[in-house]
Amino acid sequence: MPTEGLTELISAEKIAARVAEMGTEISRDLAGIDELTVLCVLKGAFIFAADLVRHLTLPCRIEFIRASSYGTHRASSGKVMLDLHRDPHVEGKHVLLVEDILDTGLTVTRILEELRGHNPASLRVCTLLDKPSARTTPVSADYTGFTIPDVYVVGYGLDAAGRYRELPYIATPNA
Ligand code: IMP
Ligand code: MG
């Protein structure tokens, strides 16, 4: 039963079914590569990435990159902070960037710019959620779980000021 103050938007069952489908599709598309580097964008994509990789039938290496743009506000700050002190280990690799949500598009655009500078063999984007109507920077994903309207969502890794990441479903906070 949903937590008080939240309205469920996508159930845990629907998420699980879609994540399994995405895993099958990615595995089919990339069949034959020697290794896939799954680059999980922290913090929001940690649950999605953990579930997705268990549906991949490819040899994987799992890496993490930390990006933050929101602080504790619900509107994009317009600035994206990346943990660039770390080598993302993507040189010469087939990379799948795994994000929780494409909103304005700034975060993924910044990460892609950075990764291209490290010369990956290939680079694809996989996002659980997409809010195309919120886009200010043109970027799209190769794999999208669900397209949603421009509403703030929480759960399954996504937070509001650090809360609700643990919920197994996706919900909108009641106004
Ligand atoms: P963008 O840079 O505006 O595309 O925002 C991407 C990041 O903002 C995501 O990785 C999320 O961390 C966060 N974000 C955007 N929309 C939402 C939302 O509805 N709920 C929670 N986090 C969000
Ligand atoms: Mg994020």
Side-chain angles (χ1 to χ4, degrees), residues 7 26 33 44 53 72 79 98 114 120 131 136 139 141 151 169:
T7 302
I26 293 165
I33 65 168
V53 293
T72 57
K79 262 199 276 172
V98 178
E114 180 62 29
K131 289 189 211 176
T136 58
V139 63
V151 290
Y169 54 88

Side-chain angles (χ1 to χ4, degrees), residues 87-103:
D87 178 350
H89 303 295
V90 301
E91 179 140 10
K93 307 283 191 188
H94 294 286
V95 177
L96 182 72
L97 185 72
V98 178
E99 243 302 28
D100 51 0
I101 186 164
L102 271 181
D103 185 32

